[in-house]
Every structure is written in structure tokens, then in C-alpha cells.
Amino acid sequence: MPVVFLLLTFTFTFSFHGCFVHAGDPELYFNWNVSFAKVSPFGVEKKVIVINDRLPGPLLNVTTNNVVSVNVFNNLDDPFLLTWNGVQMRRNSWNDGVQGTNCPIPPGKNWTYHMQVKDQIGSFFYFPSLGFQMAAGGYGPIRINNRVIIPIPFSFPQDDFDILIADWYDMDYQDMRDAVDQGFPLSLPDGILINGLPPEKANFTFKSGATYRLRISNVGIKTTLNFRIQGHKMLLVETEGSYTLKQYYDSLDIHVGQSYSVLVTADQPPSTSYYIVASSRFLELDLLGVAIINYGDGSNKRPSGGLPEGPLPFDYNYSMEQARSIRWDLKVGAARPNPQGSYRYGHINITRTIVLQNDEVMIGDRTRHAINGVSFVYPDTPLKLADYFRIAGVLTAGEVPDEPSGRKPTLGTPVVDASYKSFVEIVFQNNESWIQSWHMDGYNFVVVGMEEGKWNKSSRSTYNMVDAIFRSTVQVYPNSWTAILVALDNMGTWNIRSQELERRQLGQELYMRVKWDEAANNTVPNPRDEMPFPPGLLLCGKAAARSGTP
Ligand SMILES: *[C@@H]1O[C@H](CO)[C@@H](O)[C@H](O)[C@H]1NC(C)=O
Ligand SMILES: *[C@@H]1O[C@H](CO)[C@@H](O)[C@H](O)[C@H]1NC(C)=O
Ligand SMILES: *[C@@H]1O[C@H](CO)[C@@H](O)[C@H](O)[C@H]1NC(C)=O
Ligand SMILES: *[C@@H]1O[C@H](CO)[C@@H](O)[C@H](O)[C@H]1NC(C)=O
Ligand SMILES: *[C@@H]1O[C@H](CO)[C@@H](O)[C@H](O)[C@H]1NC(C)=O
Ligand SMILES: *[C@@H]1O[C@H](CO)[C@@H](O)[C@H](O)[C@H]1NC(C)=O
Ligand SMILES: *[C@@H]1O[C@H](CO)[C@@H](O)[C@H](O)[C@H]1NC(C)=O
Ligand SMILES: *[C@@H]1O[C@H](CO)[C@@H](O)[C@H](O)[C@H]1NC(C)=O
Ligand SMILES: *[C@@H]1O[C@H](CO)[C@@H](O)[C@H](O)[C@H]1NC(C)=O
């Protein structure tokens, strides 16, 4: 009897490309055609990346536990990869779509991502991860809807709108990349787009009295944007897959790579239209993205009055106070019925502390960015594949020290080894005068604290150990620190990166290899902890001639 049961379990659980999927999890299949198009939002024509002829690309609309395949046809003359910002890719860094885990899809070829959106809900986005392609678009929204049996913690909105806001450069993306590589810093952006459109071109229609969910992501490459709506308050409900304490905001600072859901009720006179504004923060010039909300019939009424005012451009205090006010709603459930607060992170012992400081440095005659003295460069073989095929000399484990070292900066391909199931405190120390934005693939983390100055152990007394927000992208203010706690329960090789493109291109990223650690003895290795090597994975570099077994 036990033998039969086991066999049945295996048949069901290994049925889909080695994914650990249960029978009955619905499967969705998408065909995406990636190509170039030309647009000129501010009068200068630029080559952009469109998916199925659209910028932003199609909505990836999925539900918790769906098994998702996305067949991507690369019609560019450039290698291409998409990554799924904030989607946890459980046990599946194989499909994460960054250069350290995946070989690029060559021009003229297609490749199919396979993933399960396991135990997740929320608003996210995808974007091209290679080179400077994100500066040419190629991004699009992701919604992971609640399963029908798990209620959302607010009344069902009339409709959802995906709003992708981004800084925009008229310059060709390859020229931008070449300039940055050669040490010319990125100039200021030329404008702000809302859903790929210049000011006053994007519009949304509201029905008087109805409430809408706006899922807003900053898909830009450099600029924090302040989001606000003329005459309407925004009720914050979700950020990157966590339901927040419901609070009203007049405006929200959204840093590069971050996503928020707000509820907006159409409670203003329908006789006029209203401005949506996404304005640049912390820049010497004031750039504005503008969209329009029409009430009712969608007729072409102009908004009355001026654009709504935002905070002062360099008011970091406003921004930090707001960030601290965004908290986790402990009482409601997210992807599972149990409340978010049943994860009592404040009761778990920290097993390791890592302080990561990014600095602008000179290596040779070039400006680079280095984390604790190591500036990341990609090898020709993805780290994940080099690791799997045991190809020597690609990744350099242990190269990044656990705290800033003060040593002479070097180029490297750093991988931080971390124990599966350990509970790690990471402090991002920003010693620059520019705001930083950090993203971690494969995980959500708890943002327990942020303060001005230099972090030390007694800074822990300021931590929120009860209801800090759980998310995947966090800002670090100039000359300040941000501390996160993360439970390393997702085996794989995961990208920790600057979401600001220029810094990432110049070396502000690394990989964390979360693996079973014999010495820590914290678990026993189980093949189910990570998906097996997926058949059909693209191979390249030193792994090009390998087959599916190491
Ligand atoms: C993809 O788009 C390109 C350019 O628009 C077109 O030439 C090609 O036929 C499309 N391919 C598929 C498979 O749809
Ligand atoms: C997204 O998927 C959900 C669940 O299947 C469905 O109810 C909804 O209509 C879809 N929305 C869009 C815009 O496709
Ligand atoms: C490429 O697309 C074809 C047609 O949809 C599909 O049958 C094939 O599996 C795809 N190849 C890969 C490697 O995903
Ligand atoms: C609103 O946007 C649609 C496309 O989404 C466009 O066709 C229409 O002209 C726009 N209307 C206004 C008033 O700008
Ligand atoms: C920071 O902002 C908060 C709330 O917005 C305010 O109470 C406080 O006085 C400000 N602090 C400084 C130093 O400006
Ligand atoms: C956490 O650490 C404290 C003090 O070192 C210890 O007493 C306690 O047992 C630990 N808790 C767990 C769950 O390991
Ligand atoms: C931080 O920056 C200041 C000024 O740029 C510099 O003097 C200081 O040494 C830096 N601190 C660290 C820890 O790198
Ligand atoms: C630690 O940082 C706090 C401010 O966060 C500061 O008041 C204190 O002096 C620092 N302690 C040490 C030992 O540097
Ligand atoms: C590791 O765990 C095993 C099984 O629980 C136990 O027998 C062994 O003593 C542990 N080893 C260490 C070094 O803690």
C-alpha cells in the first residue's frame, strides 16, 4: 500500500517539466513575440522593444499556483532575456531569466519559460534583463490574482488598471550602454512615460461612484517617481505581494523597481476630468508624466485647474517617513488563508549579518560600482550552469566579504554562499549622495529599518520587529542604511541587484547561492528542495557542449 501511494504521488508531482506541481493546478500558455518598433514620445525617434507589438507588453494575468509557460520569440538582432521582477520562482532559479542563471535567447530563436506562481499574490512586472535593453522598454505588468477560495481583504474593485511609470531617454539603448561602459555617466532623463505614453496621452475611464485598483510599478532605470491623482486620495492596499495596513496617501514615492496597489474611488464631480501625475524626485529638474482620468462616457473633457502638487524635490525626510508608515497588515491572509501576521519574523534568531555597501570606485581608468570592494562582471557562462556542470573558474564564492572591507576594489564574479533555511540580516549601507534601489530575486524580505547615518549593532534597537513590510525591492536613502531580514527558504542561485540600470551595468550586483549546508546541519538535503535541471534549457559559453547531466 505505501509503495502504491508513493508511485502515485511521484506521477502527479513530476508531471510538468520537472516542476513540483500538483494535479489540478491550472496551466497557462503564452506566445510572446519580441521585436523592435520606433516611437518618438518627445519628438525624437527611438528604437524600442515591443512584445506582441505593444509597449508596455501584454499583461501576464495569472492566479496563485498557476503553472505558466511563456514562449518568447526573439526577433531582435540582440540576445534577449526577460526576468520576472518580484515573482518568487520557487525552487526554480533555472527560469529566473537573468544572465547569471540563464543563457540569452539568441536572435531569431525562441525559448519557453516554465514557472509556477506558487503561494503568491500581488502586482509585479517583467523586464528585459540584458545590457541596457530595459532603457528601450520591453517591460509589462504581472498580476497574480487570489484564488477564488481566498478572499481579498477589501471589496472587489470595479476594475483593475496596470500603470507602468518610467523615466525615458531619447538616446538609443545600445549607445547608452556603450557610453556607460566607457565611463560617461548617464545624463538626466528626457521625460516620464505612463504606460509607454508621453504626457496627457494615457487615459483611464472611471464610472462615477465606483472603486478601482491601480497597480502601479516604476519600471524606469534611474528615477524615483512621485505618484498622485488630482482631487483623489489613494488607499494603499498592497505592495509586491503583501497586503498593507490600509492607509490613505495624497502621493506616493515609488522607487525604481517597486510596485504598489492603491484603491481609488471615483467620488469627484463627473463634469470634469482629472490628472494623474508621476513626477521625478531628487533630480535637479522637474520631469512630469501625466495621464488623464475621465469619468463616465469617456468624452473628451479637459481637467480643470493645475496639476496636483507633490512634495519638494529634495525632501528625503518626507520620503523616509512615508516609507516607515507603510506596514504589513498582520490580520489578513495573502496567498494562503492564514493571516500574514502568523509569520512572526521578530521571533526568529538571526543566523548571519551581511552589510553590503555599494560605492562608486575607479578600477583602472574606469568608473565602476563595487559592493564591499567587488565590482560584478558577467562571465561567458551563467553561474547557475557553471555550478551545475561543475565548470571550474567561472564563479568566485566567498569573494564578497560580509562587511565593507576598505580594500582596493577589484572586478569579480562574486557569489555569496548562504545556508538553506538560515535567517539572514542584510544591511544595505549607502555612503553615496544618490538614492539606491536594491532588489532580490527569489524572495520577499522584511524591511525592518532605515535611518540616516552608518549602521551599527545598536541600530537594531530602531527595528520594527512586528509589522514591517514584506517586499522584494527597497530603497536606501543617501548617507543612510536600510536593514532587511530574509528567511532563505528558496534554494537556488539568486540575483541581488541595483534596480538602477547604470549602477547595475557598472557592477552593483551579486548572486546568492542558497544551498544545503552540511556544517550548519539545519536540514537534510532533499531533491525536492530544488527543481531538477529542466530539459531544453538553453546552453552557452563553457556549458554549450554539455547535455542535461553534470
Ligand atoms: C513577430 O513579429 C515580427 C515583427 O513584427 C514578425 O515579422 C514575425 O512574423 C512575428 N512572428 C510571430 C511568430 O508572430
Ligand atoms: C485575469 O484573470 C482573472 C482570473 O482568471 C479573470 O477573472 C480576469 O478577468 C482576468 N483579467 C484580465 C484583464 O484578463
Ligand atoms: C519554439 O516555438 C515552437 C512553436 O510554438 C514550440 O513548439 C517550441 O517548443 C519552442 N521552442 C522552445 C525551445 O521553447
Ligand atoms: C484614450 O486612450 C485611448 C487608447 O488607450 C485612445 O484611443 C484615446 O484617443 C484616448 N482618449 C483621449 C481623450 O485621449
Ligand atoms: C520629517 O517629516 C515628519 C513627518 O512628515 C515630520 O514630523 C518631521 O518633523 C520631519 N523632520 C525633519 C527633520 O524635517
Ligand atoms: C534563539 O536564541 C536564544 C538566545 O541565544 C536561545 O535561547 C533560543 O533558544 C533561540 N531560539 C531558537 C528558536 O533557536
Ligand atoms: C563614505 O564616504 C566618505 C566621503 O565620500 C568617505 O570619506 C568615507 O571614507 C566613506 N566611508 C566608507 C565607510 O566608505
Ligand atoms: C551607532 O549608531 C547610532 C545611531 O544610529 C549612534 O548614535 C551610535 O553612536 C553608534 N554607535 C557606535 C558604537 O558607533
Ligand atoms: C546533525 O543532525 C543530526 C540529525 O538530527 C544529528 O544526529 C547530528 O548530531 C547533528 N550534527 C551536528 C554537528 O549538530
Side-chain angles (χ1 to χ4, degrees), residues 280-320:
S280 61
R281 297 280 279 140
F282 320 130
L283 287 190
E284 287 81 26
L285 92 180
D286 204 16
L287 296 172
L288 295 170
V290 183
I292 310 280
I293 293 174
N294 294 307
Y295 270 51
D297 56 7
S299 69
N300 235 331
K301 285 161 291 201
R302 294 280 314 156
S304 46
L307 298 172
E309 295 274 339
L312 293 172
F314 286 93
D315 192 350
Y316 288 104
N317 178 54
Y318 165 96
S319 193
M320 203 190 267

Side-chain angles (χ1 to χ4, degrees), residues 164 222 382 425 511 538:
L164 303 190
K222 182 190 176 80
E425 174 187 40
Y511 284 79
L538 291 172

Side-chain angles (χ1 to χ4, degrees), residues 166-243:
D167 47 15
W168 166 267
Y169 289 79
D170 284 332
M171 195 176 180
D172 177 81
Y173 80 90
Q174 281 153 323
D175 294 344
M176 286 171 82
R177 178 186 60 202
D178 294 348
V180 164
D181 280 344
Q182 284 160 28
F184 299 103
L186 213 55
S187 56
L188 295 174
D190 295 300
I192 309 292
L193 301 186
I194 298 185
N195 284 350
L197 297 170
E200 302 199 32
K201 294 293 183 216
N203 61 75
F204 304 90
T205 300
F206 280 12
K207 207 157 82 186
S208 210
T211 296
Y212 296 86
R213 178 175 184 172
L214 274 43
R215 298 170 183 256
I216 314 148
S217 295
N218 184 338
V219 298
I221 63 169
K222 182 190 176 80
T223 316
T224 296
L225 297 172
N226 181 269
F227 187 89
R228 51 192 187 272
I229 306 175
Q230 185 184 23
H232 296 72
K233 280 196 178 298
M234 302 181 286
L235 184 64
L236 183 69
V237 291
E238 181 245 341
T239 172
E240 294 152 28
S242 296
Y243 290 121

